[in-house]
Structures are given as structure tokens and as C-alpha cells.
Amino acid sequence: ELPDGGARPNAAQFKQLVVTALRELHGEVGAALPVDVLTYEEKTLSAILRVISSGLVKLWSALTLLGFYQNRRCAFRVLQTSPFLLALSGNSRELIL
Amino acid sequence: MVRFKNRYVLCELVSEDPRCRHCIEDRTLGLVVRDAIARVHGDYGLACCSISFTVKYLNAYTGTVLLRCRKDSYGLLCSALPFVRYLESRAQRYPCFLNTLHVGGTIRTCQKFLIQYNRTQLLRLLQNCATQEERQCIQKSLLSCSLTEEQSQSGDEEEDDGTE
């Protein structure tokens, strides 16, 4: 989420942001965690990230604690996590796709 | 029984520069190690390891260093030790590295290991001696650090550390 309407990051900058967040909280070891950006939409600023299951805690904590993007306040909201990609496409409780 | 368990990491500071040995202090070494942990493991790792982190013992002559940290985070500390590349003191940088010798749960086990290690090192030095004088010097120091009945255990250990 970027509250002020500034320049939106593209996919590469988004990945750079994620890696920077990991590096700040977990150091070089965290920055070396293999994170993939599977999809990225610049309009809604939402993305699907893939990470190894042992790295979920590190990634989520790093994203939560990231506050700034190019000196602008920002926040990451995690909407859904799941081990299966298909589960992210719909709301499995209401069975609406 | 609930108590805080610590791990004591015994390291050896190795550097080619002989001046480096004389000007290391426990505070500078602590700062250098914490800086390395911050680089490798970030803010979280630094905070984790700094809970109970101190430089317990430092011997400038032999370069022996004893670090203490919590049992939960000693893995982070040990993995960050190879990233200590140089020591900064008085605006001088000395390239060096830390060899981990032993990790123990108490200072006493580390001390026992250090005595054994120093004994083997003295014997190895004896074999690698070039001149006869060096040989005699080392032999004399080896013979003088034997345990007599009047001497206490701590006296023997101090002699062992001091005659390196």
C-alpha cells in the first residue's frame, strides 16, 4: 500500500524492495532467501510471492516491518497464504471463484 | 530447574600483523563481532545474539578469545564469526580472522579444553623449532608447567596459558 500517489514500482523494483526488507531484518542470510514474484499488478500494487516454507516466517516478518519505499511511507498487507497456488484464486470458504 | 543456559565459544585470533596482538581490547572485539552479526543476520539476529553477549576472556599474547551468548542463538554467532575480517582500533585496520576452537556450556569446560590445546600446541612448536635455543626454551617451559603437590590447579592452568 502506498498512500500518496507517487510513482509506482515496477516488478523489478518490487522484488528489490522485498529483498531489501529481508536484508534489513535478517541480514545477508535473509537477503539470500530464494523469493520469487510470480505475478505483479502495478495498478493494484498486489503480487503473489513464492518462498520456501521454512522461510515464510522470515519473509512475513520482514514485509511487516518494512515502512519506507524511497522515503515514502508504505505498508505490506498479507491477504492470504497457502501452500497451493490454486487456493489463492478464490475464497475457499464461500466457494466463489 | 529453570535457568538461562549459555554457550561459551572459544576462538583464536589469527593475524599476520604482529602489532595487531598488542592493541586488541575486549570492547573493540565485541563491537567488531556484533557488527559482523548485524551484517550477516540483520537486526533480528543482532538483537537475538546481544541478549547475553560479552567477551568473557581475552588473552592478547596468545590471541585467545572467549565469547558468551545464549544457547538459542549461538548458531547465529558461530556462523557470523568467519565474517570478521579485520580489527579496527585507533583508526588502524588490521586484517585478521577468528578460528573457532571449542564451544562449551561452561567456562570450566572451555578452560579444560584450552589447557589440552595449549599442551598440544607447545609440543607441536617443539617439533617445528628451527634453532637449538628455541628448542631449549620450549623444553624448559614445558618442564616447568608440570603439576607439583604444593601448586594448586589454577596455578598450573595459569602457567600453561602464560608459557605459550
Side-chain angles (χ1 to χ4, degrees):
Chain A
E1 264 184 32
L2 280 169
D4 53 4
R8 288 166 166 234
N10 63 13
Q13 287 167 340
F14 184 79
K15 170 116 191 233
Q16 166 76 16
L17 188 60
V18 169
V19 172
T20 308
L22 276 167
R23 180 174 281 121
E24 275 179 17
L25 190 61
H26 291 287
E28 296 297 328
V29 165
L33 194 60
V35 170
D36 306 317
V37 179
L38 296 179
T39 59
Y40 176 68
E41 281 171 43
E42 213 171 302
K43 285 204 194 104
T44 54
L45 286 178
S46 61
I48 300 186
L49 299 175
R50 175 174 65 186
V51 73
I52 194 169
S53 55
S54 55
L56 176 66
V57 173
K58 287 189 179 171
L59 178 65
W60 201 335
S61 56
L63 290 178
T64 309
L65 291 175
L66 182 70
F68 290 95
Y69 166 63
Q70 286 178 356
N71 293 332
R72 290 144 62 189
R73 307 273 308 157
C74 72
F76 270 90
R77 306 248 182 269
V78 174
L79 301 170
Q80 194 178 356
T81 68
S82 135
F84 311 111
L85 192 53
L86 195 55
L88 296 179
S89 66
N91 190 348
S92 66
R93 295 240 164 131
E94 311 294 329
L95 286 177
I96 295 173
L97 285 174
Chain B
M1 183 90 98
V2 174
R3 67 164 192 202
F4 285 123
K5 298 200 176 174
N6 295 320
R7 284 284 176 264
Y8 291 88
V9 181
L10 189 67
C11 323
E12 185 192 353
L13 185 74
V14 177
S15 81
E16 300 122 7
D17 202 346
R19 295 172 296 167
C20 175
R21 287 275 172 87
H22 294 291
C23 58
I24 40 172
E25 278 174 21
D26 46 1
R27 256 169 305 176
T28 46
L29 192 71
L31 286 175
V32 164
V33 172
R34 289 180 63 158
D35 180 54
I37 297 177
R39 256 182 298 135
V40 177
H41 294 294
D43 295 333
Y44 172 74
L46 176 65
C48 237
C49 296
S50 293
I51 295 178
S52 178
F53 174 74
T54 36
V55 178
K56 268 298 188 185
Y57 171 75
L58 177 60
N59 189 337
Y61 299 110
T62 59
T64 311
V65 180
L66 185 67
L67 307 166
R68 176 187 75 180
C69 68
R70 284 253 183 268
K71 184 172 137 185
D72 305 322
S73 55
Y74 87 98
L76 297 178
L77 174 66
C78 286
S79 59
L81 284 180
F83 290 86
V84 171
R85 297 277 314 281
Y86 50 80
L87 278 183
E88 284 228 33
S89 86
R90 283 175 233 144
Q92 289 268 18
R93 268 192 187 184
Y94 303 107
C96 66
F97 63 91
L98 286 172
N99 248 351
T100 306
L101 302 175
H102 185 246
V103 176
T106 55
I107 299 188
R108 191 182 291 177
T109 54
C110 288
Q111 200 172 29
K112 276 194 211 160
F113 176 84
L114 189 61
I115 299 169
Q116 283 291 96
Y117 181 74
N118 284 344
R119 277 208 192 110
T120 46
Q121 288 295 95
L122 277 177
L123 287 173
R124 196 181 296 166
L125 276 179
L126 186 64
Q127 281 166 4
N128 293 348
C129 266
T131 68
Q132 190 61 24
E133 291 150 6
E134 273 178 32
R135 203 172 273 270
Q136 280 176 355
C137 207
I138 293 188
Q139 266 174 345
K140 197 167 62 153
S141 61
L142 267 176
L143 289 172
S144 76
C145 70
S146 62
L147 189 65
T148 62
E149 284 187 6
E150 295 99 276
Q151 266 181 353
S152 61
Q153 186 76 22
S154 57
D156 178 47
E157 289 157 11
E158 275 168 26
E159 278 201 10
D160 254 325
D161 285 340
T163 52
E164 250 285 288

